[in-house]
Amino acid sequence: MALSMLAHRDEVGLKDGLLLVGGQWRASGDGVTWTHRHPATREEIGRFAVATAEDVDAAVKAARKAFDEGPWPRSTVGERVRVMHRFSALLREHSDELLSLLALDNGVPKTFGNIYAASVTVAADVFDHHAGWIDKAGGETFPGYQGGDKLAVTFREPIGVVAAILPWNAPFLLFAQKLGPALAAGCTVVLKPSEYASFSVLRLVELLLEAGLPEGVVNVVTGPGDPTGEALITHPLVDKVSFTGSRAVGKRIVEASAGTLKRVSMELGGKSPAIVFADAEVPLAAATAMGTVTMGLSGQACIAQTRALVHRDVYDEFITVAQGVAGYMAYGDPFDPAVLASPLINERQLDRVLGYIQKGQEEGARLVQGGNRLEGDLGNGNFVAATLFADVDNKMTIAQEEIFGPVLAVVPFSDEDEAIRLANDTQYGLGAGVYTKEVQRAFRVSKRLRAGSIGINGFQVEPHMPFGGYQQSGIGREGGRSAYEAYTELKSVMMPLTEAMM
Ligand code: NAD
């Protein structure tokens, strides 16, 4: 029997999504809505408002007013810390409900949400982490450099109105990576979730209000890039755009920021390598590489190491284990605890991934496993089988472009220099993995890789570790002190203490 999500929708009690402007939930100005189709079945399961340019204008003005006149940017450390911690407690309390909403949004299996980066607990940890900076990341005091004695100090002040734009794949973590530091710093926010994952984010915002965030500090405009996103990134009263998503949209945002010289933070795509040396724990490396491009998000994860560079001596062993892991993937109802991997988010992405698989074969890579769309009971959904390509040349399209699907491309190498050259032969630079038992090599190679986050024999996003990309994988970092500081302006204040300076 064909899979259906309607019973889950009714059980969760999914309600239509509204905009949040200046503390009021309301429909869009022209009444237009977006119909959400579930990626596992393509059934229509819910609707939410599409914010027009006028709605976005009202949301930005509400955020501006809350910043210029409201209590949040002027609140005490204690007040802000309490709201942040209350929110993270609410997240943990509502974890199961939120994971159900996420499963209805993007089809990520609930099991995966409990154990991995899609988890609500990680988002709560990120809020707790940023709450910790509020009383620590202040300014500095400097001695006089020239002239007479003086007092020279710096202040960190909130940057202003932040437009936070999210993708659909990991909305809890990315909501936290943006709103955690922005709210901790005292900014106000206009949030645009992805049109493919809005229901779970709307619930996060309800919980934020329940935690005591004052009116107008967070406003929500749902809808697609056009018209909603465009109206937001071009709005003159927005001070900073914090974006996670594709490289193409990232470039458009940088372009649009020029008008009023907005600050931008960008977390974009990747084509991260996993380098597997001959002395590595090969089964661990193969299971991790294949697992992260299939399990959970089916490779729709920026940080997935989708290019395995494997030493020729252990190449066959790697392929055998990776093939076994790929064959083990279980697809289906995201509410079923036995299901391990999601469908692709929409038909466009399904066609794109199947197109890359075809291209891989045309360019001469060896298809070892998968490569097909799943049929039968899952035939209405956007499911693609876990796919493994061997004998890939690093110049091939499947080794260079971000596929954002369950496809691992395995490239052979002969020595350390070649591995590093291949790893760095990319326009991206988000992450990389180094698999070896030799400690000096692990660090030597890590230092030579042009990527923002390196995992030695494994990797996980941590709330207090900077995360972000070199090259075309982004601008700036999320996580840690530098992320908090990216939501502040630095002000210098100087006062002569003697007449001599005058
Ligand atoms: P996307 O770029 O299509 O959409 C991201 C967001 O931008 C959505 O909210 C979308 O509505 C909005 N948008 C689209 N056009 C816009 C415009 N002109 N103006 C303003 N907003 C606009 O990306 P996606 O498909 O949602 O997500 C997948 C991409 O995100 C992949 O490239 C992936 O690597 C990347 N990603 C990166 C990270 C990271 O931390 N580096 C994390 C997750 C996803």
Side-chain angles (χ1 to χ4, degrees):
M1 204 172 67
L3 182 63
S4 173
M5 300 303 296
L6 300 182
H8 294 306
R9 175 199 61 185
D10 295 343
E11 201 182 319
V12 171
L14 197 69
K15 52 183 199 272
D16 284 355
L18 295 169
L19 313 177
L20 178 65
V21 180
Q24 303 300 312
W25 292 99
R26 63 165 178 82
S28 69
D30 61 7
V32 171
T33 55
W34 174 279
T35 302
H36 176 57
R37 289 174 183 275
H38 197 274
T41 62
R42 298 187 184 169
E43 293 164 305
E44 295 184 6
I45 62 162
R47 288 188 304 174
F48 53 82
V50 171
T52 62
E54 291 72 29
D55 296 324
V56 171
D57 181 54
V60 173
K61 284 180 174 151
R64 186 81 256 167
K65 186 163 190 285
F67 186 79
D68 293 340
E69 301 165 27
W72 188 252
R74 285 157 272 281
S75 57
T76 64
V77 166
E79 282 161 348
R80 257 182 285 160
V81 167
R82 274 192 292 281
V83 171
M84 302 274 291
H85 285 317
R86 242 184 263 136
F87 177 63
S88 50
L90 282 169
L91 282 182
R92 293 188 178 96
E93 208 177 292
H94 289 265
S95 173
D96 189 68
E97 175 200 351
L98 287 162
L99 289 173
S100 293
L101 285 166
L102 186 66
L104 289 174
D105 266 336
N106 64 9
V108 170
K110 280 190 76 174
T111 310
F112 177 81
N114 278 321
I115 60 169
Y116 234 68
S119 107
V120 178
T121 316
V122 172
D125 288 348
V126 171
F127 262 83
D128 283 342
H129 164 71
H130 283 294
W133 286 123
I134 300 174
D135 65 353
K136 296 175 194 71
E140 293 173 289
T141 311
F142 298 92
Y145 203 105
Q146 51 194 353
D149 193 13
K150 64 185 77 103
L151 182 62
V153 296
T154 56
F155 294 105
R156 285 216 169 263
E157 299 181 342
I159 211 164
V161 174
V162 174
I165 303 179
L166 305 182
W168 55 268
N169 60 345
F172 298 148
L173 174 66
L174 300 170
F175 175 95
Q177 296 274 49
K178 294 184 167 19
L179 272 73
L183 296 177
C187 297
T188 62
V189 177
V190 180
L191 172 68
K192 195 197 93 57
S194 165
E195 59 274 35
Y196 298 105
S198 289
F199 294 108
S200 49
V201 175
L202 288 168
R203 184 69 185 124
L204 291 178
V205 174
E206 284 178 353
L207 295 176
L208 207 39
L209 299 181
E210 198 178 319
L213 198 70
E215 223 168 66
V217 176
V218 170
N219 304 270
V220 186
V221 290
T222 45
D226 180 19
T228 311
E230 273 292 322
L232 190 53
I233 63 172
T234 50
H235 200 293
L237 297 182
V238 168
D239 296 299
K240 170 178 173 117
V241 180
S242 176
F243 172 73
T244 299
S246 62
R247 184 172 60 168
V249 175
K251 288 181 179 177
R252 166 70 197 128
I253 290 173
V254 170
E255 210 175 73
S257 70
T260 50
L261 284 177
K262 295 179 186 11
R263 281 73 178 125
V264 290
S265 301
M266 301 268 147
E267 295 290 340
L268 309 176
K271 190 72 193 178
S272 301
I275 307 175
V276 183
F277 287 97
D279 69 331
E281 192 69 53
V282 178
L284 168 82
T288 308
M290 198 69 223
T292 52
V293 303
T294 50
M295 232 179 86
L297 285 157
S298 280
Q300 301 168 105
C302 57
I303 194 61
Q305 291 169 5
T306 52
R307 237 176 357 130
L309 311 177
V310 182
H311 194 278
R312 289 183 192 279
D313 289 353
V314 291
Y315 195 81
D316 291 343
E317 183 189 356
F318 183 95
I319 295 290
T320 305
V321 177
Q323 184 174 12
V325 173
Y328 179 74
M329 258 333 107
Y331 299 89
D333 183 342
F335 287 77
D336 178 347
V339 166
L340 297 175
S342 71
L344 301 182
I345 193 66
N346 53 33
E347 287 163 61
R348 185 168 54 90
Q349 188 57 15
L350 174 72
D351 291 344
R352 214 173 140 254
V353 171
L354 291 173
Y356 275 120
I357 291 171
Q358 193 183 337
K359 188 105 179 152
Q361 290 173 286
E362 284 166 6
E363 290 184 2
R366 176 163 58 94
L367 181 64
V368 177
Q369 177 83 21
N372 56 295
R373 185 175 170 190
L374 300 185
E375 302 294 347
D377 291 353
L378 302 181
N380 291 336
N382 308 321
F383 291 97
V384 169
T387 300
L388 176 64
F389 274 109
D391 304 341
V392 177
D393 185 300
N394 201 58
K395 295 278 178 233
M396 288 179 186
T397 309
I398 58 167
Q400 287 293 323
E401 293 187 16
E402 184 184 46
I403 297 175
F404 228 54
V407 183
L408 180 65
V410 190
V411 181
F413 72 83
S414 302
D415 60 37
E416 190 176 304
D417 282 342
E418 186 188 12
I420 291 165
R421 186 176 51 73
L422 291 171
N424 288 337
D425 178 18
T426 172
Q427 295 182 336
Y428 290 105
L430 194 55
V434 182
Y435 289 88
T436 177
K437 294 199 187 94
E438 202 190 303
V439 176
Q440 280 173 313
R441 169 152 60 199
F443 278 93
R444 184 170 66 234
V445 172
S446 297
K447 286 181 73 178
R448 290 179 65 192
L449 292 172
R450 292 190 40 78
S453 296
I454 316 285
I456 297 170
N457 300 323
F459 179 77
Q460 211 173 336
V461 176
E462 294 277 6
H464 57 318
M465 291 284 288
F467 176 80
Y470 281 41
Q471 304 195 98
Q472 296 189 32
S473 282
I475 301 173
R477 296 291 179 269
E478 290 188 329
R481 183 181 187 132
S482 58
Y484 174 90
E485 289 178 352
Y487 289 86
T488 64
E489 290 282 9
L490 196 53
K491 178 180 281 176
S492 294
V493 177
M494 186 186 290
M495 184 173 71
L497 298 177
T498 62
E499 299 294 316
M501 193 175 149
M502 308 305 237

